[in-house]
Amino acid sequence: RVVLEIEGLRKRYGGTVALDGCTFAVAPKRLVGLLGPNGAGKTTLMRCLLGLVVPDGGEIRWSGEPLDGDRGRRFGYMPEERGLYPSMRVAEQVRYFAMLSGLSSAAAARATTDVLQRIGAADLAERRLEELSHGNQQRIQLAVALVHDPEILVLDEPFAGLDPLGVDQFGALLLDLAADGTTVLFSSHQLDLVQHLCQDIVTIHRGRVVLAGELEELQRAT
Ligand code: ADP
Ligand code: ADP
């Protein structure tokens, strides 16, 4: 069973080929690592999924149907850099993004409480972002991406710059989310990290998928 299918996706920027016929499928409720070196096309691929980049060709299907315009509710996105307001309190910040996603003020407040609880950050609600450790700031970025309760969470290099403890904690959070029913797709250039965390792995190189499948199977095959 697959929830998301990417088939023959192509994108070039001027003379640079970013995606060169990218094909793979994602099963629901899995933690999927999108692995590849810098420049492989990971960000472009994610931005195509989110509708932020228009591909030159290929198709993206959701449960067998071409993905239409309404991605906002289905996808949660944690870009590599998202500006948050350093002096704003955490709950206020998350609620603000919840309202941007279309929730009413009351629903946004409820969703904020729920999401902070869900990621174990309820105790940070009244703290200012600038007071938090990098690991906790990442958790608030995650809360922002999750607050509208998307079916798929897409994260661009979420482990970049975290210390080993931060990596463990953030990794455990992503595993919990997947176990709880959210499909999670994250990019990384670190093989060890992806191997350690993921059930499924998609390896991308020069805009093409060179290896994809369940980690156990891939390990048996090599
Ligand atoms: P990754 O996320 O794996 O590092 P990217 O998708 O960011 O890969 O980039 C893939 C290729 O496309 C790289 O060669 C990059 O320089 C190029 N690229 C990405 N975005 C743009 C852009 N807006 N304009 C021109 N080239 C781009
Ligand atoms: P990543 O860290 O995922 O590889 P990049 O650093 O490649 O992301 O991209 C950061 C931003 O710069 C993106 O908005 C991307 O579209 C843009 N960009 C990347 N490569 C180029 C390029 N060669 N020319 C112009 N813009 C680029």
Side-chain angles (χ1 to χ4, degrees):
R1 207 157 85 75
V2 299
V3 57
L4 192 62
E5 294 162 279
I6 288 99
E7 199 177 305
L9 211 60
R10 289 183 289 106
K11 175 69 190 178
R12 52 162 72 226
Y13 300 101
T16 306
V17 177
L19 295 177
D20 189 19
C22 211
T23 300
F24 66 96
V26 174
K29 306 179 188 190
R30 307 282 282 193
L31 179 57
V32 185
L34 180 62
L35 178 70
N38 254 330
K42 304 181 297 295
T43 299
T44 302
L45 174 62
M46 292 182 156
R47 291 173 65 86
C48 286
L49 289 178
L50 290 148
L52 300 170
V53 162
V54 180
D56 300 328
E59 203 175 25
I60 304 170
R61 286 189 297 273
W62 179 283
S63 303
E65 300 289 320
L67 190 59
D68 58 20
D70 179 32
R71 301 174 196 212
R73 306 217 75 95
R74 286 175 171 166
F75 286 90
Y77 184 39
M78 190 171 124
E80 207 175 345
E81 314 255 334
R82 163 157 42 210
L84 296 179
Y85 298 94
S87 63
M88 230 190 219
R89 294 186 195 279
V90 163
E92 210 181 331
Q93 186 105 154
V94 176
R95 198 174 64 233
Y96 169 76
F97 279 97
M99 290 177 72
L100 282 187
S101 84
L103 297 185
S104 71
S105 170
R110 245 189 335 267
T112 297
T113 306
D114 289 351
V115 79
L116 291 178
Q117 191 83 46
R118 188 170 175 199
I119 63 166
D123 57 325
L124 302 179
E126 294 309 315
R127 302 277 298 279
R128 293 179 200 282
L129 213 72
E130 62 197 355
E131 300 168 354
L132 303 183
S133 67
H134 182 51
N136 276 336
Q137 292 194 10
Q138 263 320 65
R139 283 207 290 165
I140 304 314
Q141 295 277 5
L142 179 64
V144 166
L146 269 182
V147 71
H148 61 298
D149 200 21
E151 291 172 64
I152 295 197
L153 180 65
V154 176
L155 310 97
D156 199 348
E157 294 276 356
F159 294 99
L162 288 181
D163 62 20
L165 179 64
V167 167
D168 281 350
Q169 289 175 338
F170 200 84
L173 261 177
L174 295 187
L175 281 168
D176 282 350
L177 290 172
D180 252 16
T182 307
T183 305
V184 182
L185 176 71
F186 75 89
S187 68
S188 174
H189 58 274
Q190 291 173 266
L191 173 64
D192 53 340
L193 198 153
V194 170
Q195 275 181 331
H196 173 69
L197 270 179
C198 293
Q199 298 153 309
D200 300 330
I201 173 168
V202 176
T203 307
I204 174 170
H205 188 66
R206 296 188 179 176
R208 283 174 167 272
V209 173
V210 290
L211 201 62
E214 287 189 33
L215 189 59
E216 269 181 39
E217 278 175 21
L218 295 178
Q219 281 171 338
R220 243 179 285 135
T222 50

